[in-house]
Amino acid sequence: MGWLLVFFGASTLIALTPGANNLLGLHHGMGHGLGSALVGLLGRLAAFVLLIAAVAAGLGQLLAAWAPALTIVKWIGVAYLVYLGVRIIIEARRLLPAEDDSSPARGVAAIARKEFLVAITNPKAVLIFTAFVPQFIDPAHGPVPAQVALLGAVYLLAEFLAGTVYIVAGTLVKAARMSLRARRNIDRGTGVVLLGMAGLLAGSRT
């Protein structure tokens, strides 16, 4: 089982890397609290389940080999990150003081949908399951589909733990009860970083 522990360690490091989904988890933890953000995290995991299923079905290599597919995914991802970034910046102006904020909490379905769309339109996530995971597949360890399922489950665990770290960090910021100005600045900063990530993704050669 040593190879599985190595895979879990490597997966955790990859999952902890700051990225659009983790930044979104941080934002959701700050804005919606621990429970809603954790339920929303299931949207990200659902996207990864689809990618794992594609690899298990043998579609992963075809997707990775067909350059136009990754290009299409990339530009959809760029467009969605721009949309999210602009929306968060605009919504930052509408924040109310914590003691006066009587607006209803956004449903977890909307949070999960954002997590899902950011994950499924990220070509880097596609490459994780089409290039990184297959490196740990060895016929000596059993049937390939079973290995893909096992490695996929381990990666999902690593992603859940990493996502939880960012969400908890967001809830700690929320608990600090910062001033309205500070909250708005953090949201604006989140939006700007998402726009920056969109720019980096657009300029990548993926």
Side-chain angles (χ1 to χ4, degrees):
M1 297 296 288
W3 63 281
L4 203 56
L5 291 176
V6 172
F7 175 76
F8 176 71
S11 297
T12 302
L13 290 176
I14 291 175
L16 282 170
T17 302
N21 269 118
N22 282 333
L23 182 61
L24 201 58
L26 180 71
H27 176 71
H28 288 154
M30 290 171 51
H32 305 287
L34 181 63
S36 295
L38 283 177
V39 175
L41 179 60
L42 297 178
R44 184 193 316 185
L45 300 183
F48 289 157
V49 167
L50 291 180
L51 293 174
I52 293 168
V55 172
L59 300 177
Q61 291 182 344
L62 293 177
L63 180 61
W66 190 48
L70 288 179
T71 300
I72 292 171
V73 170
K74 180 182 83 170
W75 286 108
I76 293 175
V78 168
Y80 191 63
L81 286 178
V82 169
Y83 164 76
L84 278 183
V86 171
R87 182 169 179 175
I88 288 174
I89 291 172
I90 292 175
E91 289 181 348
R93 301 174 58 185
R94 302 172 183 169
L95 281 177
L96 298 174
E99 61 273 14
D100 297 331
D101 190 357
S102 58
S103 59
R106 183 162 299 168
V108 294
I111 300 174
R113 183 172 62 249
K114 288 182 181 180
E115 288 272 10
F116 177 86
L117 290 174
V118 169
I120 204 70
T121 59
N122 184 354
K124 304 299 183 184
V126 175
L127 291 176
I128 286 175
F129 294 104
T130 58
F132 170 68
V133 172
Q135 293 182 35
F136 290 84
I137 295 176
D138 186 340
H141 295 151
V144 171
Q147 289 187 61
V148 171
L150 177 59
L151 292 172
V154 171
Y155 188 86
L156 289 177
L157 174 61
E159 188 68 37
F160 177 79
L161 293 176
T164 300
V165 168
Y166 281 85
I167 289 171
V168 169
T171 59
L172 291 176
V173 173
K174 178 182 176 68
R177 300 188 67 82
M178 295 179 298
S179 67
L180 176 61
R181 181 175 182 179
R183 291 166 59 207
R184 284 176 172 170
N185 285 338
I186 289 177
D187 274 5
R188 290 190 187 104
T190 300
V192 169
V193 172
L194 285 175
L195 291 176
M197 289 181 175
L200 290 174
L201 182 57
S204 70
R205 296 182 179 180
T206 303

